[in-house]
Amino acid sequence: MQNTKFSGIIQEILENPNTDIVELLQDKLHLPQDKAEVLANRIEKQYLQTTNNDNTKQPPIKIATEKTPETKQNPQQPLQKETSYALASLSNKEFEAFTKWLLQELGYNIQPEKIPTFLGVDYLATKNNSKTTILTRKYPPTCLVSEAAVLLAQQAKHNYQCEHALILTPAMFSDKAKLYAKACNVELWDAQKIDEKILEVKKKTELAVQMVFPMYKGTLLASLLALTEHKKFLIEQRVGEKYDVFFIGVKFPLLTFQEQNGKVVRLIYRIKYNEPVGENDGEALIKCDRNGTHCSGPNDAEAYAQVTEYLEQFLE
């Protein structure tokens, strides 16, 4: 475990050569400053410094480099398209949680032990009876990830005796990195690829919901009334064309909706913070004025999708 932790620290330093190594070692290994300085000096000599025939130091290879204005305008290096998920706005911890969620939703069985890095975390995972080493890095979208990252992933694949390697980052990969990845059989997920994977998870989730709940019936009212087809839900009609939706065995309604001339003019979620609430205190998905003429809320199909997503939590 200690060797694994130290390897993770070395990897972090290699990826971020401008890091204050002494401070990092003190924080990660709980070393006093004098010992941290000695170890930092050894690391710099062994890993970060190379010499040529004139004994002049060569800068270390950087894994991610800022794109210059010239690079951004180069038609051969297209600008990164906007994605539906704002990865750049996530903190390091949020990015770690997001990547773990995404990988698990895609069928990766992640081992409990993880290797923290400065801008992400490394995972060992299994899928379809094969092992994968996964490097997640929260490089800024303005960066190009070089072939050094691919070589790092290839080395990790070898060290952990895995069949596959994957690099996941919201940044873009350089052309050279893509060539290296193809040659080394390393899979690359940039922001666009991550977007595709999120869509894949979303479609899978929607399909699972459709298998549990009745399909959309053409109107929100017809779809809500059809919830009784699911044996765990019960609908009771009240005065004023109001309906309460119950989970069988629970005396409090999960939601209340009201119809007028065949249209749902009011829909209230009746469980808030895991506690039952009255109609006036619940969250309104759809609300209208007293005449029922000016309504606010999603269209019928989207409203039904949100309702089934809300009700699904009570089936877990």
Side-chain angles (χ1 to χ4, degrees):
M1 176 66 76
Q2 190 65 24
N3 289 337
T4 300
K5 184 175 183 180
F6 186 68
S7 297
I9 294 171
I10 295 297
Q11 181 178 315
E12 185 173 327
I13 294 170
L14 288 173
E15 294 183 1
N16 304 276
N18 296 323
T19 299
D20 186 328
I21 301 177
V22 174
E23 183 177 333
L24 179 67
L25 293 172
Q26 285 181 284
D27 179 51
K28 297 289 187 180
L29 299 179
H30 308 290
L31 295 176
Q33 184 172 352
D34 57 339
K35 291 187 178 181
E37 289 174 350
V38 172
L39 183 56
N41 186 48
R42 289 172 54 191
I43 291 172
E44 287 180 344
K45 288 180 178 179
Q46 184 172 352
Y47 294 98
L48 299 182
Q49 296 178 5
T50 59
T51 58
N52 58 16
N53 294 333
D54 298 325
N55 292 324
T56 55
K57 294 178 182 178
Q58 299 295 324
I61 298 174
K62 289 190 177 181
I63 290 182
T65 57
E66 283 290 324
K67 287 193 280 185
T68 63
E70 291 78 12
T71 305
K72 292 178 183 178
Q73 295 172 4
N74 186 348
Q76 295 181 347
Q77 182 64 60
L79 290 174
Q80 182 160 293
K81 298 178 183 179
E82 290 187 5
T83 57
S84 59
Y85 202 93
L87 296 176
S89 65
L90 300 180
S91 68
N92 289 347
K93 281 290 185 184
E94 290 170 335
F95 182 72
E96 177 184 331
F98 162 77
T99 55
K100 186 174 182 181
W101 164 82
L102 179 62
L103 291 165
Q104 289 176 328
E105 288 293 320
L106 291 169
Y108 287 92
N109 183 21
I110 297 176
Q111 295 184 14
E113 183 179 351
K114 61 184 179 182
I115 307 163
T117 68
F118 183 64
L119 287 172
V121 68
D122 291 349
Y123 298 110
L124 295 178
T126 55
K127 184 178 181 181
N128 299 327
N129 296 321
S130 63
K131 289 177 63 178
T132 302
T133 180
I134 303 171
L135 282 62
T136 67
R137 298 292 184 272
K138 189 179 173 288
Y139 297 127
T142 54
C143 284
L144 275 176
V145 181
S146 76
E147 68 277 11
V150 178
L151 296 176
L152 190 65
Q154 175 72 356
Q155 184 62 47
K157 180 172 73 170
H158 174 75
N159 290 344
Y160 295 112
Q161 299 180 335
C162 295
E163 291 87 358
H164 306 283
L166 164 65
I167 305 175
L168 187 156
T169 178
M172 297 177 69
F173 292 94
S174 69
D175 290 339
K176 200 168 183 180
K178 293 175 183 177
L179 287 174
Y180 270 61
K182 188 174 182 180
C184 298
N185 192 27
V186 174
E187 194 171 354
L188 305 180
W189 291 8
D190 59 9
Q192 294 298 320
K193 189 68 174 181
I194 294 172
D195 233 25
E196 293 174 10
K197 295 297 181 180
I198 294 173
L199 183 60
E200 182 181 329
V201 170
K202 185 177 179 182
K203 286 182 177 179
K204 184 177 72 171
T205 303
E206 289 174 350
L207 181 61
V209 170
Q210 289 175 2
M211 292 175 65
V212 172
F213 293 96
M215 297 289 289
Y216 178 67
K217 303 294 184 181
T219 68
L220 178 58
L221 178 61
S223 301
L224 291 174
L225 292 175
L227 286 173
T228 54
E229 295 176 13
H230 193 297
K231 296 181 180 180
K232 291 190 175 182
F233 293 106
L234 176 69
I235 297 179
E236 291 186 1
Q237 185 173 2
R238 295 161 45 195
V239 296
E241 300 302 322
K242 288 186 178 181
Y243 298 82
D244 288 333
V245 178
F246 291 87
F247 187 81
I248 291 180
V250 179
K251 65 178 181 179
F252 300 104
L254 304 182
L255 64 86
T256 296
F257 64 91
Q258 184 175 6
E259 68 102 352
Q260 184 175 314
N261 299 323
K263 181 178 177 62
V264 176
V265 294
R266 192 164 177 260
L267 193 152
I268 309 294
Y269 294 148
R270 296 287 301 276
I271 303 294
K272 190 173 183 180
Y273 304 122
N274 295 320
E275 295 291 337
V277 295
E279 289 183 46
N280 295 330
D281 297 320
E283 179 184 349
L285 179 63
I286 297 174
K287 55 184 178 180
C288 288
D289 59 19
R290 292 184 178 180
N291 297 323
T293 53
H294 295 93
C295 292
S296 61
N299 61 47
D300 279 12
E302 176 61 26
Y304 183 66
Q306 291 189 35
V307 166
T308 54
E309 185 177 348
Y310 165 77
L311 293 176
E312 186 184 17
Q313 65 183 307
F314 301 103
L315 298 176
E316 297 176 352

